[in-house]
Amino acid sequence: MSTLERLKIIAHGLAIQFGPSCEVLIHDLQRDLDTSLVYIENGTITNRHVGDGPSHVVLDVLNYDDGSEGRFGYLTKTKDGRILKSSTMYIRDDNGNIEYLLGINQDITEFVMMHRSLESLIGIGQAETGTVEKITTSVSELLDDLLLEAERLVGKPGPLMNKVERLKAISYLNEKGAFLISKSSEKIAEYFNISKFTLYSDLNTVKEES
């Protein structure tokens, strides 16, 4: 039995154990990034399907492997505003390379709302949910999200940035793994209203400085 088949058994068991409010999924990092999602149960939580692309977490792992076993107990948010408590486990081969990601997303929206209501009632104040990552369903949406984050970081749209500001934005995109996305350079160059040659020159400058 292959590693993927074993993971599917585990994923199915987790989905049964925790019920319809728990999404369980598998990303295959050995295949095309555009279709890395190879298994999912209770996908209605994030409206994702087999064949969809990566989330921010997947891109982070591809861009930087810290050697850990995964990320556990962090918060994510769906397009419709639902709050999820998420964990992502790194499944490695015998050489230590990450082959698969096993993800769990538990919908805790109702618990968060109850928590806030209780704190309001007893006068402590509104509960904080911490930093929340948006879940994306395609590489195109993921890149749009990263460009928006870069714009917020600098404080102005790409075409209005001067070179120093643009380098700051490109450095952020590089750190987040945006250039790992297939054909991303075309969209990024268009966003900044610069040529691909200028983009690659800026990217080399960023890499040299880092």
Side-chain angles (χ1 to χ4, degrees), residues 143-171:
L143 184 55
D144 286 341
D145 205 27
L146 291 173
L147 288 171
L148 181 59
E149 289 175 4
E151 183 174 305
R152 288 172 177 165
L153 176 68
V154 175
K156 63 175 65 172
L160 300 182
M161 295 181 190
N162 59 38
K163 184 171 182 178
V164 173
E165 293 166 337
R166 189 173 70 241
L167 288 174
K168 181 178 180 180
I170 290 174
S171 177

Side-chain angles (χ1 to χ4, degrees), residues 147 151 156-163 165-167 169-170 173 184-200 202:
L147 288 171
E151 183 174 305
K156 63 175 65 172
L160 300 182
M161 295 181 190
N162 59 38
K163 184 171 182 178
E165 293 166 337
R166 189 173 70 241
L167 288 174
I170 290 174
L173 292 172
S184 62
S185 58
E186 297 176 4
K187 189 168 187 175
I188 294 173
E190 181 180 350
Y191 168 77
F192 287 113
N193 195 26
I194 58 177
S195 67
K196 289 178 66 174
F197 176 82
T198 300
L199 175 63
Y200 288 133
D202 287 352

Side-chain angles (χ1 to χ4, degrees), residues 27-38 49-55 58-59 62 136-143 178 180-184:
H27 280 281
D28 184 350
L29 301 190
Q30 304 164 96
R31 61 186 294 144
D32 188 345
L33 184 62
D34 291 4
T35 57
S36 63
L37 185 57
V38 295
H49 309 84
V50 169
D52 279 346
S55 62
V58 177
L59 206 59
L62 287 170
T136 53
T137 58
S138 69
V139 289
S140 178
E141 183 184 352
L142 177 56
L143 184 55
L180 295 173
I181 298 174
S182 177
K183 299 180 180 179
S184 62

Side-chain angles (χ1 to χ4, degrees), residues 60-71 90 92 96 98:
D60 286 345
V61 172
L62 287 170
N63 193 44
Y64 175 68
D65 178 6
D66 61 4
S68 67
E69 296 178 348
R71 294 179 58 187
Y90 306 161
R92 301 176 183 272
I98 302 176

